[in-house]
Amino acid sequence: MTSTPTRAAELRPTGPAEQPVPSPGAPGALGRRMVAALSFRNVGAVYVWLLITVVFSVWAPDTFPTVITVKQVLNGNAVAGLVALSVVLPLAARVFDLSVAYTMSLTSVLTAHFLVSTGLGPATAIALAMGAALLIGVVNGVVVVVLRVDSFIATLATGALIQSLITMVTNDSSITGVQLLARPFADIAQLDAGGITLPVLYLLLAAVAIWFLLEHTATGRRLYATGFNADAARLQGVRTDRLRFLTLMASALLSGFAGVVFASSVGSGSPTAGTPYLLSAYAAAFVGATQLRTGRFNAWGTVLAVLLLGTGITGLGLATSAQWATSLFTGSVLIVALVLTGGRIALPAVLRRRTAARPDTTTVKEVQE
């Protein structure tokens, strides 16, 4: 007696059980990796940057698409890039350092004060200012890590204390003097090669150092693990408290160095030097976290975001004199970049895949019968 095949047997595929899996080095796999690397989801800010460049090239064809504009974007945003990079390491460990702007202002005025009022040499003045920045990092680490105060509140309070010290030193007035315009201090930010100033080199060196630390060292992997799930990382033996402490120190040192570069660039110590950079620094860091290493704060994504914003602001300055245009552009680009690169644009494709993956209820019922 023979049995008739069931519907389930009829639906069973008759082809080979397994499809050959291409090797990682196969041309098809390489092509898919390149497509994924160049996808809008991965490098959306690059395409937005190119679009902005085209728009301003058409809007201001005589002034924007020039080599001078390229140099202006790079030189004008190097300090902003340093401040933005200073918050990348704390954010990777899920720590906010809102005192970076105040630290930048403090090192700016301290350097100027030591050079102008005390007659110290540039090397000594910079060393003392950077020592003050390191002390701020230690204080932040003690308050946040040892005393367990929320980093957002703790560093904001530290910033208020720093601002009071700045006011005590400067009386809310910029410190100026010929010592700030003389070499070798002026060369720190004003020395250039082919029109590209030294702060651009500082930015690249800082980005390379942070990139290498986060992507190619065990410490970087532990930082990311701390940021993703500190409790799980601690159970795996990661010294999360020490890492957070060190990131706050590194943040203070890098933002402090940005203050020294700023003082050399403008030739004065400003009590509000860092204030305009706080929002843009965090904006660049968060937009950068949607690029290249999606979901992770990273150095090159942050630099890319800084240049994107800097290009738009420079283009607006060349194309229009409206004072409100810069703020409108910055806010609009941040919202659009975060929405598009955050996955909203891929929502219809996701819905289509879910619809295609949903089994047909009629077929399932027939198989069960």
mmCIF file of all heavy atoms in Angstrom, residues 71-124:
data_model
loop_
_atom_site.group_PDB
_atom_site.id
_atom_site.type_symbol
_atom_site.label_atom_id
_atom_site.label_comp_id
_atom_site.label_asym_id
_atom_site.label_seq_id
_atom_site.Cartn_x
_atom_site.Cartn_y
_atom_site.Cartn_z
ATOM 1 N N LYS A 71 40.283 76.644 1.926
ATOM 2 C CA LYS A 71 41.202 76.966 3.016
ATOM 3 C C LYS A 71 40.469 77.635 4.170
ATOM 4 O O LYS A 71 40.767 77.384 5.343
ATOM 5 C CB LYS A 71 42.312 77.873 2.498
ATOM 6 C CG LYS A 71 43.216 77.209 1.471
ATOM 7 C CD LYS A 71 44.255 78.184 0.947
ATOM 8 C CE LYS A 71 45.143 77.523 -0.100
ATOM 9 N NZ LYS A 71 46.136 78.478 -0.666
ATOM 10 N N GLN A 72 39.488 78.478 3.833
ATOM 11 C CA GLN A 72 38.731 79.160 4.881
ATOM 12 C C GLN A 72 37.926 78.174 5.713
ATOM 13 O O GLN A 72 37.849 78.296 6.951
ATOM 14 C CB GLN A 72 37.800 80.196 4.243
ATOM 15 C CG GLN A 72 37.013 81.027 5.241
ATOM 16 C CD GLN A 72 36.138 82.060 4.557
ATOM 17 O OE1 GLN A 72 36.243 82.286 3.355
ATOM 18 N NE2 GLN A 72 35.254 82.692 5.328
ATOM 19 N N VAL A 73 37.332 77.189 5.066
ATOM 20 C CA VAL A 73 36.564 76.174 5.793
ATOM 21 C C VAL A 73 37.475 75.367 6.710
ATOM 22 O O VAL A 73 37.150 75.128 7.880
ATOM 23 C CB VAL A 73 35.831 75.246 4.804
ATOM 24 C CG1 VAL A 73 35.224 74.053 5.541
ATOM 25 C CG2 VAL A 73 34.735 76.008 4.064
ATOM 26 N N LEU A 74 38.621 74.952 6.213
ATOM 27 C CA LEU A 74 39.535 74.146 7.023
ATOM 28 C C LEU A 74 40.115 74.949 8.185
ATOM 29 O O LEU A 74 40.074 74.512 9.344
ATOM 30 C CB LEU A 74 40.662 73.611 6.147
ATOM 31 C CG LEU A 74 40.270 72.574 5.088
ATOM 32 C CD1 LEU A 74 41.468 72.221 4.216
ATOM 33 C CD2 LEU A 74 39.711 71.320 5.727
ATOM 34 N N ASN A 75 40.633 76.134 7.878
ATOM 35 C CA ASN A 75 41.270 76.940 8.925
ATOM 36 C C ASN A 75 40.265 77.456 9.941
ATOM 37 O O ASN A 75 40.554 77.512 11.140
ATOM 38 C CB ASN A 75 42.011 78.116 8.294
ATOM 39 C CG ASN A 75 43.165 77.682 7.405
ATOM 40 O OD1 ASN A 75 43.739 76.613 7.596
ATOM 41 N ND2 ASN A 75 43.496 78.494 6.420
ATOM 42 N N GLY A 76 39.086 77.823 9.474
ATOM 43 C CA GLY A 76 38.095 78.414 10.363
ATOM 44 C C GLY A 76 37.402 77.437 11.280
ATOM 45 O O GLY A 76 36.752 77.849 12.251
ATOM 46 N N ASN A 77 37.507 76.132 10.980
ATOM 47 C CA ASN A 77 36.792 75.144 11.782
ATOM 48 C C ASN A 77 37.724 74.181 12.508
ATOM 49 O O ASN A 77 37.255 73.199 13.088
ATOM 50 C CB ASN A 77 35.835 74.343 10.883
ATOM 51 C CG ASN A 77 34.695 75.182 10.366
ATOM 52 O OD1 ASN A 77 33.701 75.407 11.047
ATOM 53 N ND2 ASN A 77 34.835 75.669 9.135
ATOM 54 N N ALA A 78 39.019 74.459 12.488
ATOM 55 C CA ALA A 78 39.968 73.560 13.166
ATOM 56 C C ALA A 78 39.766 73.570 14.675
ATOM 57 O O ALA A 78 39.757 72.509 15.324
ATOM 58 C CB ALA A 78 41.396 73.957 12.811
ATOM 59 N N VAL A 79 39.593 74.765 15.263
ATOM 60 C CA VAL A 79 39.378 74.839 16.710
ATOM 61 C C VAL A 79 38.051 74.180 17.084
ATOM 62 O O VAL A 79 37.965 73.450 18.085
ATOM 63 C CB VAL A 79 39.422 76.301 17.182
ATOM 64 C CG1 VAL A 79 39.028 76.400 18.657
ATOM 65 C CG2 VAL A 79 40.808 76.889 16.976
ATOM 66 N N ALA A 80 37.013 74.432 16.293
ATOM 67 C CA ALA A 80 35.720 73.787 16.552
ATOM 68 C C ALA A 80 35.850 72.266 16.492
ATOM 69 O O ALA A 80 35.228 71.540 17.282
ATOM 70 C CB ALA A 80 34.679 74.268 15.539
ATOM 71 N N GLY A 81 36.677 71.778 15.568
ATOM 72 C CA GLY A 81 36.898 70.340 15.484
ATOM 73 C C GLY A 81 37.608 69.787 16.695
ATOM 74 O O GLY A 81 37.290 68.688 17.171
ATOM 75 N N LEU A 82 38.572 70.534 17.225
ATOM 76 C CA LEU A 82 39.272 70.084 18.437
ATOM 77 C C LEU A 82 38.318 69.986 19.623
ATOM 78 O O LEU A 82 38.364 69.017 20.395
ATOM 79 C CB LEU A 82 40.411 71.046 18.762
ATOM 80 C CG LEU A 82 41.642 71.013 17.846
ATOM 81 C CD1 LEU A 82 42.605 72.140 18.198
ATOM 82 C CD2 LEU A 82 42.348 69.662 17.937
ATOM 83 N N VAL A 83 37.443 70.979 19.769
ATOM 84 C CA VAL A 83 36.472 70.940 20.873
ATOM 85 C C VAL A 83 35.503 69.782 20.676
ATOM 86 O O VAL A 83 35.141 69.080 21.639
ATOM 87 C CB VAL A 83 35.719 72.275 20.981
ATOM 88 C CG1 VAL A 83 34.733 72.240 22.146
ATOM 89 C CG2 VAL A 83 36.689 73.430 21.171
ATOM 90 N N ALA A 84 35.068 69.552 19.430
ATOM 91 C CA ALA A 84 34.153 68.438 19.161
ATOM 92 C C ALA A 84 34.808 67.098 19.466
ATOM 93 O O ALA A 84 34.190 66.196 20.052
ATOM 94 C CB ALA A 84 33.683 68.493 17.709
ATOM 95 N N LEU A 85 36.070 66.951 19.097
ATOM 96 C CA LEU A 85 36.771 65.697 19.391
ATOM 97 C C LEU A 85 36.971 65.505 20.883
ATOM 98 O O LEU A 85 37.062 64.367 21.359
ATOM 99 C CB LEU A 85 38.128 65.680 18.680
ATOM 100 C CG LEU A 85 38.110 65.487 17.167
ATOM 101 C CD1 LEU A 85 39.522 65.581 16.607
ATOM 102 C CD2 LEU A 85 37.488 64.152 16.789
ATOM 103 N N SER A 86 37.040 66.608 21.632
ATOM 104 C CA SER A 86 37.266 66.478 23.074
ATOM 105 C C SER A 86 36.104 65.797 23.784
ATOM 106 O O SER A 86 36.286 65.252 24.881
ATOM 107 C CB SER A 86 37.513 67.857 23.693
ATOM 108 O OG SER A 86 36.329 68.624 23.751
ATOM 109 N N VAL A 87 34.909 65.821 23.201
ATOM 110 C CA VAL A 87 33.755 65.186 23.856
ATOM 111 C C VAL A 87 33.500 63.773 23.344
ATOM 112 O O VAL A 87 32.625 63.080 23.865
ATOM 113 C CB VAL A 87 32.481 66.048 23.683
ATOM 114 C CG1 VAL A 87 32.705 67.443 24.205
ATOM 115 C CG2 VAL A 87 32.019 66.081 22.235
ATOM 116 N N VAL A 88 34.246 63.328 22.336
ATOM 117 C CA VAL A 88 34.003 62.003 21.754
ATOM 118 C C VAL A 88 34.323 60.885 22.744
ATOM 119 O O VAL A 88 33.529 59.948 22.924
ATOM 120 C CB VAL A 88 34.812 61.832 20.453
ATOM 121 C CG1 VAL A 88 34.791 60.377 19.991
ATOM 122 C CG2 VAL A 88 34.251 62.726 19.359
ATOM 123 N N LEU A 89 35.482 60.969 23.399
ATOM 124 C CA LEU A 89 35.862 59.902 24.329
ATOM 125 C C LEU A 89 34.912 59.795 25.521
ATOM 126 O O LEU A 89 34.484 58.688 25.867
ATOM 127 C CB LEU A 89 37.298 60.110 24.802
ATOM 128 C CG LEU A 89 38.388 59.878 23.745
ATOM 129 C CD1 LEU A 89 39.767 60.164 24.320
ATOM 130 C CD2 LEU A 89 38.317 58.457 23.209
ATOM 131 N N PRO A 90 34.548 60.904 26.193
ATOM 132 C CA PRO A 90 33.555 60.767 27.271
ATOM 133 C C PRO A 90 32.223 60.207 26.780
ATOM 134 O O PRO A 90 31.623 59.357 27.452
ATOM 135 C CB PRO A 90 33.404 62.196 27.805
ATOM 136 C CG PRO A 90 34.655 62.879 27.426
ATOM 137 C CD PRO A 90 35.069 62.276 26.122
ATOM 138 N N LEU A 91 31.765 60.660 25.620
ATOM 139 C CA LEU A 91 30.491 60.165 25.109
ATOM 140 C C LEU A 91 30.567 58.680 24.775
ATOM 141 O O LEU A 91 29.584 57.950 24.934
ATOM 142 C CB LEU A 91 30.073 60.962 23.871
ATOM 143 C CG LEU A 91 29.581 62.389 24.128
ATOM 144 C CD1 LEU A 91 29.315 63.109 22.814
ATOM 145 C CD2 LEU A 91 28.317 62.381 24.983
ATOM 146 N N ALA A 92 31.727 58.224 24.301
ATOM 147 C CA ALA A 92 31.881 56.790 24.020
ATOM 148 C C ALA A 92 31.700 55.964 25.279
ATOM 149 O O ALA A 92 31.238 54.815 25.227
ATOM 150 C CB ALA A 92 33.250 56.523 23.402
ATOM 151 N N ALA A 93 32.052 56.528 26.427
ATOM 152 C CA ALA A 93 31.864 55.854 27.719
ATOM 153 C C ALA A 93 30.576 56.286 28.407
ATOM 154 O O ALA A 93 30.394 56.010 29.594
ATOM 155 C CB ALA A 93 33.051 56.137 28.627
ATOM 156 N N ARG A 94 29.704 56.957 27.675
ATOM 157 C CA ARG A 94 28.422 57.454 28.175
ATOM 158 C C ARG A 94 28.621 58.423 29.345
ATOM 159 O O ARG A 94 28.023 58.283 30.422
ATOM 160 C CB ARG A 94 27.498 56.306 28.573
ATOM 161 C CG ARG A 94 26.035 56.748 28.734
ATOM 162 C CD ARG A 94 25.105 55.592 29.021
ATOM 163 N NE ARG A 94 24.922 54.730 27.871
ATOM 164 C CZ ARG A 94 24.107 53.682 27.833
ATOM 165 N NH1 ARG A 94 23.389 53.373 28.911
ATOM 166 N NH2 ARG A 94 23.992 52.947 26.750
ATOM 167 N N VAL A 95 29.469 59.400 29.120
ATOM 168 C CA VAL A 95 29.710 60.463 30.084
ATOM 169 C C VAL A 95 29.606 61.795 29.353
ATOM 170 O O VAL A 95 30.168 61.956 28.266
ATOM 171 C CB VAL A 95 31.111 60.333 30.738
ATOM 172 C CG1 VAL A 95 31.377 61.516 31.660
ATOM 173 C CG2 VAL A 95 31.211 59.030 31.517
ATOM 174 N N PHE A 96 28.889 62.734 29.932
ATOM 175 C CA PHE A 96 28.785 64.075 29.373
ATOM 176 C C PHE A 96 29.791 64.982 30.078
ATOM 177 O O PHE A 96 29.889 64.972 31.302
ATOM 178 C CB PHE A 96 27.378 64.642 29.556
ATOM 179 C CG PHE A 96 26.363 64.079 28.604
ATOM 180 C CD1 PHE A 96 25.640 62.943 28.940
ATOM 181 C CD2 PHE A 96 26.138 64.673 27.383
ATOM 182 C CE1 PHE A 96 24.710 62.413 28.071
ATOM 183 C CE2 PHE A 96 25.209 64.151 26.502
ATOM 184 C CZ PHE A 96 24.488 63.022 26.844
ATOM 185 N N ASP A 97 30.509 65.763 29.288
ATOM 186 C CA ASP A 97 31.401 66.774 29.848
ATOM 187 C C ASP A 97 30.986 68.134 29.293
ATOM 188 O O ASP A 97 31.416 68.537 28.206
ATOM 189 C CB ASP A 97 32.860 66.470 29.495
ATOM 190 C CG ASP A 97 33.824 67.424 30.206
ATOM 191 O OD1 ASP A 97 33.337 68.314 30.925
ATOM 192 O OD2 ASP A 97 35.041 67.273 30.032
ATOM 193 N N LEU A 98 30.139 68.827 30.026
ATOM 194 C CA LEU A 98 29.657 70.137 29.602
ATOM 195 C C LEU A 98 30.595 71.257 30.027
ATOM 196 O O LEU A 98 30.307 72.429 29.788
ATOM 197 C CB LEU A 98 28.260 70.388 30.176
ATOM 198 C CG LEU A 98 27.170 69.414 29.738
ATOM 199 C CD1 LEU A 98 25.826 69.823 30.326
ATOM 200 C CD2 LEU A 98 27.080 69.327 28.226
ATOM 201 N N SER A 99 31.702 70.911 30.645
ATOM 202 C CA SER A 99 32.649 71.934 31.079
ATOM 203 C C SER A 99 33.710 72.226 30.027
ATOM 204 O O SER A 99 34.589 73.062 30.264
ATOM 205 C CB SER A 99 33.329 71.508 32.381
ATOM 206 O OG SER A 99 34.158 70.367 32.167
ATOM 207 N N VAL A 100 33.665 71.558 28.870
ATOM 208 C CA VAL A 100 34.728 71.732 27.873
ATOM 209 C C VAL A 100 34.800 73.178 27.389
ATOM 210 O O VAL A 100 35.893 73.712 27.174
ATOM 211 C CB VAL A 100 34.530 70.769 26.684
ATOM 212 C CG1 VAL A 100 34.789 69.335 27.104
ATOM 213 C CG2 VAL A 100 33.133 70.916 26.083
ATOM 214 N N ALA A 101 33.653 73.825 27.211
ATOM 215 C CA ALA A 101 33.667 75.206 26.735
ATOM 216 C C ALA A 101 34.314 76.129 27.764
ATOM 217 O O ALA A 101 35.091 77.032 27.411
ATOM 218 C CB ALA A 101 32.239 75.674 26.433
ATOM 219 N N TYR A 102 34.021 75.903 29.038
ATOM 220 C CA TYR A 102 34.607 76.730 30.095
ATOM 221 C C TYR A 102 36.095 76.438 30.267
ATOM 222 O O TYR A 102 36.886 77.347 30.569
ATOM 223 C CB TYR A 102 33.859 76.491 31.402
ATOM 224 C CG TYR A 102 32.379 76.740 31.298
ATOM 225 C CD1 TYR A 102 31.490 75.686 31.115
ATOM 226 C CD2 TYR A 102 31.861 78.025 31.358
ATOM 227 C CE1 TYR A 102 30.126 75.903 31.009
ATOM 228 C CE2 TYR A 102 30.501 78.260 31.262
ATOM 229 C CZ TYR A 102 29.643 77.191 31.078
ATOM 230 O OH TYR A 102 28.294 77.416 30.966
ATOM 231 N N THR A 103 36.474 75.188 30.084
ATOM 232 C CA THR A 103 37.893 74.843 30.151
ATOM 233 C C THR A 103 38.666 75.528 29.034
ATOM 234 O O THR A 103 39.769 76.049 29.243
ATOM 235 C CB THR A 103 38.078 73.317 30.052
ATOM 236 O OG1 THR A 103 37.318 72.681 31.072
ATOM 237 C CG2 THR A 103 39.540 72.941 30.196
ATOM 238 N N MET A 104 38.079 75.553 27.861
ATOM 239 C CA MET A 104 38.700 76.250 26.733
ATOM 240 C C MET A 104 38.866 77.731 27.031
ATOM 241 O O MET A 104 39.926 78.319 26.777
ATOM 242 C CB MET A 104 37.855 76.043 25.479
ATOM 243 C CG MET A 104 38.355 76.803 24.270
ATOM 244 S SD MET A 104 37.277 76.594 22.847
ATOM 245 C CE MET A 104 37.994 77.825 21.735
ATOM 246 N N SER A 105 37.830 78.357 27.574
ATOM 247 C CA SER A 105 37.921 79.777 27.926
ATOM 248 C C SER A 105 38.989 80.013 28.988
ATOM 249 O O SER A 105 39.748 80.990 28.928
ATOM 250 C CB SER A 105 36.563 80.277 28.432
ATOM 251 O OG SER A 105 35.564 80.150 27.441
ATOM 252 N N LEU A 106 39.064 79.110 29.978
ATOM 253 C CA LEU A 106 40.028 79.292 31.073
ATOM 254 C C LEU A 106 41.460 79.223 30.568
ATOM 255 O O LEU A 106 42.286 80.074 30.919
ATOM 256 C CB LEU A 106 39.802 78.230 32.147
ATOM 257 C CG LEU A 106 40.753 78.297 33.342
ATOM 258 C CD1 LEU A 106 40.552 79.598 34.111
ATOM 259 C CD2 LEU A 106 40.556 77.097 34.258
ATOM 260 N N THR A 107 41.786 78.234 29.752
ATOM 261 C CA THR A 107 43.157 78.136 29.258
ATOM 262 C C THR A 107 43.494 79.304 28.334
ATOM 263 O O THR A 107 44.646 79.754 28.288
ATOM 264 C CB THR A 107 43.377 76.810 28.513
ATOM 265 O OG1 THR A 107 42.400 76.677 27.471
ATOM 266 C CG2 THR A 107 43.277 75.631 29.456
ATOM 267 N N SER A 108 42.494 79.798 27.633
ATOM 268 C CA SER A 108 42.725 80.969 26.782
ATOM 269 C C SER A 108 43.130 82.182 27.612
ATOM 270 O O SER A 108 44.134 82.842 27.320
ATOM 271 C CB SER A 108 41.459 81.269 25.972
ATOM 272 O OG SER A 108 41.563 82.505 25.295
ATOM 273 N N VAL A 109 42.381 82.467 28.669
ATOM 274 C CA VAL A 109 42.670 83.664 29.468
ATOM 275 C C VAL A 109 43.896 83.452 30.360
ATOM 276 O O VAL A 109 44.658 84.402 30.597
ATOM 277 C CB VAL A 109 41.445 84.069 30.314
ATOM 278 C CG1 VAL A 109 40.263 84.404 29.418
ATOM 279 C CG2 VAL A 109 41.077 82.997 31.313
ATOM 280 N N LEU A 110 44.108 82.230 30.849
ATOM 281 C CA LEU A 110 45.286 81.987 31.679
ATOM 282 C C LEU A 110 46.577 82.131 30.871
ATOM 283 O O LEU A 110 47.558 82.720 31.349
ATOM 284 C CB LEU A 110 45.211 80.601 32.309
ATOM 285 C CG LEU A 110 44.257 80.425 33.489
ATOM 286 C CD1 LEU A 110 44.314 78.999 34.017
ATOM 287 C CD2 LEU A 110 44.554 81.424 34.600
ATOM 288 N N THR A 111 46.575 81.592 29.664
ATOM 289 C CA THR A 111 47.754 81.738 28.818
ATOM 290 C C THR A 111 48.049 83.210 28.554
ATOM 291 O O THR A 111 49.201 83.665 28.664
ATOM 292 C CB THR A 111 47.557 80.987 27.489
ATOM 293 O OG1 THR A 111 47.262 79.615 27.744
ATOM 294 C CG2 THR A 111 48.813 81.078 26.629
ATOM 295 N N ALA A 112 46.994 83.949 28.199
ATOM 296 C CA ALA A 112 47.174 85.378 27.943
ATOM 297 C C ALA A 112 47.613 86.115 29.204
ATOM 298 O O ALA A 112 48.475 87.002 29.153
ATOM 299 C CB ALA A 112 45.870 85.966 27.402
ATOM 300 N N HIS A 113 47.042 85.754 30.335
ATOM 301 C CA HIS A 113 47.389 86.418 31.596
ATOM 302 C C HIS A 113 48.850 86.181 31.956
ATOM 303 O O HIS A 113 49.579 87.123 32.321
ATOM 304 C CB HIS A 113 46.481 85.906 32.707
ATOM 305 C CG HIS A 113 46.862 86.387 34.078
ATOM 306 N ND1 HIS A 113 46.634 87.674 34.512
ATOM 307 C CD2 HIS A 113 47.489 85.746 35.113
ATOM 308 C CE1 HIS A 113 47.080 87.811 35.748
ATOM 309 N NE2 HIS A 113 47.600 86.658 36.138
ATOM 310 N N PHE A 114 49.311 84.952 31.844
ATOM 311 C CA PHE A 114 50.696 84.649 32.197
ATOM 312 C C PHE A 114 51.680 85.314 31.235
ATOM 313 O O PHE A 114 52.772 85.730 31.642
ATOM 314 C CB PHE A 114 50.918 83.137 32.208
ATOM 315 C CG PHE A 114 50.231 82.435 33.341
ATOM 316 C CD1 PHE A 114 49.532 81.253 33.127
ATOM 317 C CD2 PHE A 114 50.290 82.944 34.618
ATOM 318 C CE1 PHE A 114 48.900 80.601 34.174
ATOM 319 C CE2 PHE A 114 49.667 82.301 35.679
ATOM 320 C CZ PHE A 114 48.961 81.125 35.453
ATOM 321 N N LEU A 115 51.300 85.428 29.976
ATOM 322 C CA LEU A 115 52.191 86.058 29.006
ATOM 323 C C LEU A 115 52.248 87.574 29.181
ATOM 324 O O LEU A 115 53.325 88.181 29.119
ATOM 325 C CB LEU A 115 51.732 85.723 27.581
ATOM 326 C CG LEU A 115 52.069 84.336 27.037
ATOM 327 C CD1 LEU A 115 51.408 84.114 25.694
ATOM 328 C CD2 LEU A 115 53.573 84.160 26.921
ATOM 329 N N VAL A 116 51.093 88.201 29.411
ATOM 330 C CA VAL A 116 51.008 89.657 29.425
ATOM 331 C C VAL A 116 51.305 90.228 30.809
ATOM 332 O O VAL A 116 52.070 91.195 30.948
ATOM 333 C CB VAL A 116 49.622 90.122 28.933
ATOM 334 C CG1 VAL A 116 49.465 91.631 29.057
ATOM 335 C CG2 VAL A 116 49.390 89.669 27.498
ATOM 336 N N SER A 117 50.716 89.637 31.828
ATOM 337 C CA SER A 117 50.777 90.248 33.159
ATOM 338 C C SER A 117 51.966 89.799 33.986
ATOM 339 O O SER A 117 52.438 90.546 34.854
ATOM 340 C CB SER A 117 49.484 89.948 33.932
ATOM 341 O OG SER A 117 48.359 90.454 33.229
ATOM 342 N N THR A 118 52.452 88.606 33.773
ATOM 343 C CA THR A 118 53.548 88.095 34.606
ATOM 344 C C THR A 118 54.876 88.032 33.872
ATOM 345 O O THR A 118 55.913 87.817 34.509
ATOM 346 C CB THR A 118 53.204 86.695 35.140
ATOM 347 O OG1 THR A 118 53.117 85.784 34.039
ATOM 348 C CG2 THR A 118 51.872 86.714 35.880
ATOM 349 N N GLY A 119 54.838 88.158 32.560
ATOM 350 C CA GLY A 119 56.080 88.141 31.801
ATOM 351 C C GLY A 119 56.703 86.780 31.614
ATOM 352 O O GLY A 119 57.870 86.680 31.251
ATOM 353 N N LEU A 120 55.946 85.726 31.848
ATOM 354 C CA LEU A 120 56.471 84.383 31.638
ATOM 355 C C LEU A 120 56.614 84.095 30.146
ATOM 356 O O LEU A 120 55.958 84.705 29.303
ATOM 357 C CB LEU A 120 55.538 83.346 32.277
ATOM 358 C CG LEU A 120 55.408 83.395 33.797
ATOM 359 C CD1 LEU A 120 54.362 82.379 34.250
ATOM 360 C CD2 LEU A 120 56.747 83.125 34.471
ATOM 361 N N GLY A 121 57.471 83.140 29.831
ATOM 362 C CA GLY A 121 57.646 82.735 28.449
ATOM 363 C C GLY A 121 56.478 81.902 27.956
ATOM 364 O O GLY A 121 55.683 81.379 28.757
ATOM 365 N N PRO A 122 56.328 81.763 26.625
ATOM 366 C CA PRO A 122 55.202 81.005 26.062
ATOM 367 C C PRO A 122 55.133 79.564 26.568
ATOM 368 O O PRO A 122 54.047 79.074 26.893
ATOM 369 C CB PRO A 122 55.454 81.058 24.556
ATOM 370 C CG PRO A 122 56.276 82.280 24.356
ATOM 371 C CD PRO A 122 57.148 82.391 25.580
ATOM 372 N N ALA A 123 56.275 78.896 26.651
ATOM 373 C CA ALA A 123 56.273 77.490 27.080
ATOM 374 C C ALA A 123 55.768 77.356 28.508
ATOM 375 O O ALA A 123 54.934 76.483 28.821
ATOM 376 C CB ALA A 123 57.660 76.889 26.951
ATOM 377 N N THR A 124 56.231 78.227 29.401
ATOM 378 C CA THR A 124 55.803 78.169 30.799
ATOM 379 C C THR A 124 54.329 78.532 30.932
ATOM 380 O O THR A 124 53.586 77.884 31.690
ATOM 381 C CB THR A 124 56.648 79.126 31.657
ATOM 382 O OG1 THR A 124 58.036 78.829 31.476
ATOM 383 C CG2 THR A 124 56.279 78.997 33.126
#
